[in-house]
Amino acid sequence: MDMQVLRERAGLSRAEVAFRLAISETSVRNWEAGRTEPTMTPKKYLEALRLFKCTPEELAAASEKSINQRHKRKPGRPRRFPANQVNQVSSLPDTPAAELRL
């Protein structure tokens, strides 16, 4: 069970969760997408347990599953530079920056 399933099982929308926990809807979306883990004060943590009608173990497992699913769906950010361009940059002569023309 991931964060989205936990929320849906409680019969709540993202907006309702955000409102009741006094957080942004974006935070809830990021939890479900596995981009971030829920970080809460102890008071909000207890409220989340009541809201989702779950045990601490279920909440932790749901958060972990959301994070793991994200890494399976998206293996990582693509390289910023193709490998051949990196080699070209590293092979520049030792010329002071003032002399280089860009």
Side-chain angles (χ1 to χ4, degrees):
M1 171 179 337
D2 60 13
M3 293 297 289
Q4 182 176 353
V5 171
L6 200 61
R7 174 182 57 80
E8 290 172 348
R9 184 182 77 173
L12 300 167
S13 69
R14 285 184 186 130
E16 288 172 315
V17 171
F19 178 77
R20 291 187 183 180
L21 294 177
I23 59 174
S24 71
E25 194 172 336
T26 302
S27 293
V28 178
R29 190 177 314 113
N30 286 338
W31 294 350
E32 291 180 1
R35 286 188 281 276
T36 60
E37 292 186 66
T39 54
M40 300 175 239
T41 63
K43 186 176 179 181
K44 281 192 183 185
Y45 178 74
L46 292 174
E47 182 60 31
L49 292 176
R50 283 187 219 106
L51 193 61
F52 292 128
K53 301 173 186 154
C54 68
T55 64
E57 293 81 13
E58 287 176 315
L59 184 59
S63 176
E64 186 69 26
K65 186 168 183 182
S66 291
I67 294 292
N68 289 338
Q69 284 177 347
R70 171 171 166 68
H71 292 297
K72 287 179 184 174
R73 285 191 307 254
K74 298 180 182 179
R77 186 176 248 179
R79 289 186 177 198
R80 191 172 176 108
F81 300 104
N84 62 351
Q85 286 182 351
V86 173
N87 291 336
Q88 291 173 357
V89 171
S90 63
S91 64
L92 286 175
D94 293 329
T95 308
E99 293 180 22
L100 291 176
R101 292 185 187 174
L102 300 177

